[in-house]
Amino acid sequence: MASISINPYNISFRPRNPLTQTLLNFKPSIPTHSFSIPIVRCSIRCRPEYTPSHIPDPNYIRIFDTTLRDGEQSPGATMTTKEKLDVARQLAKLGVDIIEAGFPASSEADLEAVKLIAKEVGNGVYDEGHVPVICGLARCNKRDIDKAWEAVKYAKKPRIHTFIATSEIHMKFKLKMSRDEVVEKATSMVAYARSIGCQDVEFSPEDAGRSDPKFLYHILGEVIKAGATTLNIPDTVGYTVPEEFGQLIANIKANTPGVEDVIISTHCQNDLGLSTANTLAGACAGARQLEVTINGIGERAGNASLEEVVMALKCRGEQVLGGLYTGINTQHILMSSKMVEEYTGLHVQPHKAIVGANAFAHESGIHQDGMLKHKDTYEIMSPEDIGLNRANESGIVLGKLSGRHALQAKMLELGYEIEGKELDDLFWRFKSVAEKKKKITDDDLIALMSDEVFQPQFVWQLQNVQVTCGSLGLSTATVKLIDADGKEHISCSVGTGPVDAAYKAVDLIVKIPVTLLEYSMNAVTQGIDAIASTRVLIRGENGHTSTHALTGETVHRTFSGTGADMDIVISSVRAYIGALNKMMSFRKLLAKNTKAEGSAVI
């Protein structure tokens, strides 16, 4: 083990292997353990009563999810208001303590989305009486803070999260401010947030991982005096390693005046692939709020992944992490992951920890032999823990004669809870595929679920498409679309190929110029009768813009769409129309807010 020494101003330790021993070294009360790996079946412990600046149970970790804010900054991850509301509801069901619903000052559309989430999700009551905190991000200026408060004040537990950069490189080149000016701005804006009625204010010193530690202690102490209830320590550019980041948290706790009266939080980016390790190191060093995103999506290389952090605490919390635990209902992890994947269009890589397609797959003969003898030989957690039931355990094999109840049971086995109209729509799509394909696989069902259920509210709906193509002439396409009023529109076009011709025919009907930025297609399963899954990314030529939270730059929004069908042209057109619907829904909301407010902030 490492040797540890503590004094009032610094905590130092010398691990033999810093990267692997860090988590054992930060908390002196953590005993030494042998590393036997039993299978974990943890039950959810009671969630402590919420007080902004205090947690009654010192072992409880608050989970702060920023999928709807930082996660949506990923290129092409723009979500409609309905999609954001769906994700927020799912996060509440998952048991997330704080939902950062967006950056209200970035645009009127974002403000309205955060406001809607505050009203609906922020006043809902979920399992065991849980009501999530709804948070809005704001830079350190009155306009941003006013917008954030305007949006979140409708929630039972509203929070404003304000930030300003504290590293030398940011203060010199981005802010062009002195240290004293930064301290004055931070303290005055935290005090302002409290003065307008918000009793729960989080402050973040942006780029804390590269900031001078003594300056950090000073500015954090001052914002505590001004009324901050949570201090979030961001590794904004993913620069630190676990030993270093854990030491930073420990030193902040040891040297910041008044730190015992606030909650310490972490926010770790994944630029070096260390976001989960850094987050856990921060927790072991005393942080009691961890900022994460579903599937780890976010700026550049992404953020610490909620599923990785939560399952690490669940699997190893009692053994080596000092008894740390969360209030997350892990059986909703898979559904949350799938929803975010489909709404953002950001696919999860197969080998992604916890939620990847291969996370519980065993192909090696040695591994398969061990699994047949005892599942614990090669699995440290059960797929059921995250809401995934193993294929075929229910004995349900779907075909063209299967009914709704069988389909619903199978989808529940795959982690999807659907009913009502969603089930009806999926059932008819399933039946149409089952008539053409003898064997319906789990991957086929997941693709159909994505195409039928996880779609934006339709402005245009595909009715029919017919193409003619080959080497003897130009490809032609005829497309029939139905608008929101039920009226049919038909158009024909030629193109360099069947997809190009079909897209041009759609453009003639929709009459909105867009640029196709990305187009990709994958076969969902093997075989000539496989379902094709298509993803597109578009940008309107009269581009929708918003303000980037960290840089303040104007960024052009892009919109993704997905489609699935056994016909590659139909799959492609579905994806294109999905992206157009998302963009047009966003435009309608923006126009509505512009008319109501007189002008839109973009």
Side-chain angles (χ1 to χ4, degrees):
M1 282 295 293
S3 61
I4 304 174
S5 61
I6 304 176
N7 61 56
Y9 301 100
N10 192 49
I11 298 178
S12 62
F13 55 95
R14 295 181 298 279
R16 292 179 183 175
N17 185 333
L19 193 57
T20 59
Q21 294 292 334
T22 295
L23 302 182
L24 295 176
N25 290 341
F26 281 116
K27 196 162 183 167
S29 62
I30 298 176
T32 302
H33 293 273
S34 60
F35 285 84
S36 59
I37 311 290
I39 194 75
V40 176
R41 299 286 189 275
C42 299
S43 60
I44 300 174
R45 294 161 67 177
C46 292
R47 186 192 308 270
E49 184 178 347
Y50 184 80
T51 303
S53 60
H54 176 68
I55 302 176
D57 185 345
N59 286 336
Y60 184 75
I61 297 288
R62 287 176 179 168
I63 297 298
F64 178 114
D65 184 275
T66 184
T67 301
L68 294 171
R69 200 278 301 170
D70 197 324
E72 207 201 10
Q73 290 177 196
S74 303
T78 299
M79 289 181 271
T80 66
T81 298
K82 175 189 175 297
E83 290 170 343
K84 289 181 179 181
L85 183 60
D86 286 346
V87 171
R89 286 174 176 149
Q90 182 64 26
L91 292 175
K93 190 175 182 181
L94 182 63
V96 166
D97 297 276
I98 302 100
I99 300 172
E100 189 167 51
F103 177 33
S106 67
S107 71
E108 284 298 324
D110 283 350
L111 186 150
E112 291 302 318
V114 176
K115 186 184 295 185
L116 182 62
I117 290 169
K119 289 179 177 179
E120 297 203 16
V121 181
N123 288 278
V125 179
Y126 298 87
D127 290 348
E128 299 181 351
H130 172 52
V131 179
V133 175
I134 304 299
C135 177
L137 184 71
R139 293 166 295 188
C140 275
N141 64 66
K142 287 186 177 181
R143 176 186 172 278
D144 277 24
I145 291 171
D146 286 339
K147 290 286 186 180
W149 182 239
E150 180 186 346
V152 303
K153 66 182 180 182
Y154 298 97
K156 286 184 179 179
K157 300 175 183 177
R159 176 186 289 193
I160 292 174
H161 178 192
T162 189
F163 70 95
I164 193 169
T166 55
S167 65
E168 290 296 329
I169 191 169
H170 277 250
M171 289 189 291
K172 180 178 180 181
F173 294 104
K174 187 178 78 170
L175 299 179
K176 301 187 186 318
M177 295 170 67
S178 68
R179 289 189 175 191
D180 289 342
E181 289 172 327
V182 168
V183 172
E184 192 282 327
K185 175 67 74 172
T187 54
S188 64
M189 290 301 102
V190 168
Y192 178 71
R194 289 298 297 263
S195 73
I196 60 177
C198 186
Q199 302 304 307
D200 191 355
V201 178
E202 177 173 336
F203 173 75
S204 291
E206 186 191 356
D207 203 18
R210 295 190 296 176
S211 298
D212 174 37
K214 291 183 179 179
F215 179 55
L216 271 183
Y217 310 150
H218 173 59
I219 191 171
L220 293 176
E222 293 301 309
V223 297
I224 291 173
K225 293 178 186 177
T229 53
T230 298
L231 302 180
N232 179 51
I233 311 304
D235 183 19
T236 304
V237 292
Y239 182 69
T240 62
V241 297
E243 176 186 3
E244 182 182 16
F245 189 74
Q247 185 75 75
L248 175 63
I249 299 297
N251 287 343
I252 286 172
K253 285 183 66 67
N255 296 298
T256 302
V259 73
E260 64 278 0
D261 298 323
V262 298
I263 304 299
I264 301 295
S265 171
T266 68
H267 181 112
C268 299
Q269 298 290 138
N270 201 40
D271 296 70
L272 294 177
L274 296 172
S275 59
T276 296
N278 285 344
T279 298
L280 294 173
C284 287
R288 289 298 176 265
Q289 175 180 290
L290 307 180
E291 302 201 356
V292 293
T293 61
I294 299 294
N295 298 336
I297 66 172
E299 192 81 24
R300 302 184 312 280
N303 291 274
S305 161
L306 179 146
E307 57 274 10
E308 293 175 14
V309 170
V310 166
M311 291 308 294
L313 289 170
K314 182 171 182 176
C315 290
R316 307 308 308 279
E318 290 293 337
Q319 295 173 302
V320 298
L321 303 180
L324 300 180
Y325 72 102
T326 73
I328 297 296
N329 184 344
T330 62
Q331 291 188 343
H332 293 296
I333 283 178
L334 184 64
M335 183 61 176
S336 304
S337 171
K338 294 296 185 184
M339 180 179 286
V340 170
E341 179 181 18
E342 297 306 331
Y343 280 166
T344 62
L346 301 175
H347 294 301
V348 174
Q349 69 259 38
H351 56 279
K352 169 74 169 65
I354 315 299
V355 295
N358 295 342
F360 295 97
H362 304 272
E363 186 168 328
S364 163
I366 295 174
H367 287 219
Q368 290 174 343
D369 179 64
M371 286 292 295
L372 290 171
K373 292 173 179 175
H374 199 294
K375 292 176 182 176
D376 296 3
T377 53
Y378 286 101
E379 286 185 351
I380 63 170
M381 70 189 82
S382 165
E384 289 79 11
D385 286 343
I386 66 164
L388 173 65
N389 292 318
R390 298 178 196 272
N392 301 323
E393 285 200 350
S394 66
I396 296 175
V397 178
L398 296 179
K400 64 181 182 180
L401 301 179
S402 299
R404 281 180 177 80
H405 291 300
L407 177 63
Q408 185 178 31
K410 185 64 176 178
M411 297 313 297
L412 186 61
E413 180 182 294
L414 296 174
Y416 298 95
E417 297 180 31
I418 59 170
E419 56 187 12
K421 184 179 183 301
E422 290 182 344
L423 178 60
D424 290 340
D425 292 344
L426 179 64
F427 178 71
W428 292 116
R429 281 296 303 281
F430 157 73
K431 293 289 278 188
S432 67
V433 172
E435 290 288 342
K436 306 172 187 174
K437 190 173 182 181
K438 291 182 179 180
K439 182 180 179 182
I440 307 297
T441 68
D442 291 353
D443 289 334
D444 291 329
L445 293 173
I446 292 171
L448 293 176
M449 177 76 178
S450 302
D451 188 46
E452 195 62 42
V453 178
F454 292 131
Q455 288 292 336
Q457 291 179 311
F458 84 87
V459 180
W460 294 99
Q461 187 174 29
L462 177 64
Q463 180 72 12
N464 292 306
V465 59
Q466 183 70 39
V467 298
T468 302
C469 61
S471 59
L472 299 179
L474 286 174
S475 298
T476 62
T478 302
V479 173
K480 180 192 288 185
L481 303 183
I482 299 176
D483 63 22
D485 297 323
K487 184 179 178 181
E488 294 183 352
H489 302 258
I490 300 175
S491 181
C492 301
S493 185
V494 296
T496 57
V499 174
D500 181 50
Y503 280 16
K504 287 177 177 176
V506 170
D507 290 339
L508 290 173
I509 296 173
V510 176
K511 296 182 174 64
I512 295 179
V514 299
T515 300
L516 180 65
L517 301 176
E518 293 180 16
Y519 172 93
S520 61
M521 178 179 290
N522 293 294
V524 172
T525 57
Q526 297 178 348
I528 195 66
D529 59 353
I531 289 179
S533 177
T534 307
R535 178 181 185 267
V536 301
L537 187 68
I538 65 171
R539 181 181 62 226
E541 291 191 5
N542 300 318
H544 305 290
T545 60
S546 63
T547 302
H548 191 284
L550 300 183
T551 65
E553 296 176 345
T554 298
V555 294
H556 292 273
R557 289 186 182 269
T558 55
F559 302 86
S560 64
T562 59
D565 198 272
M566 294 178 69
D567 186 302
I568 61 172
V569 177
I570 296 175
S571 174
S572 300
V573 175
R574 283 184 179 275
Y576 191 54
I577 292 173
L580 287 168
N581 281 337
K582 187 178 288 190
M583 186 181 75
M584 294 172 73
S585 296
F586 187 85
R587 174 178 287 189
K588 283 187 174 182
L589 177 63
L590 196 62
K592 177 182 176 182
N593 293 331
T594 302
K595 185 176 181 181
E597 302 292 336
S599 63
V601 180
I602 300 299

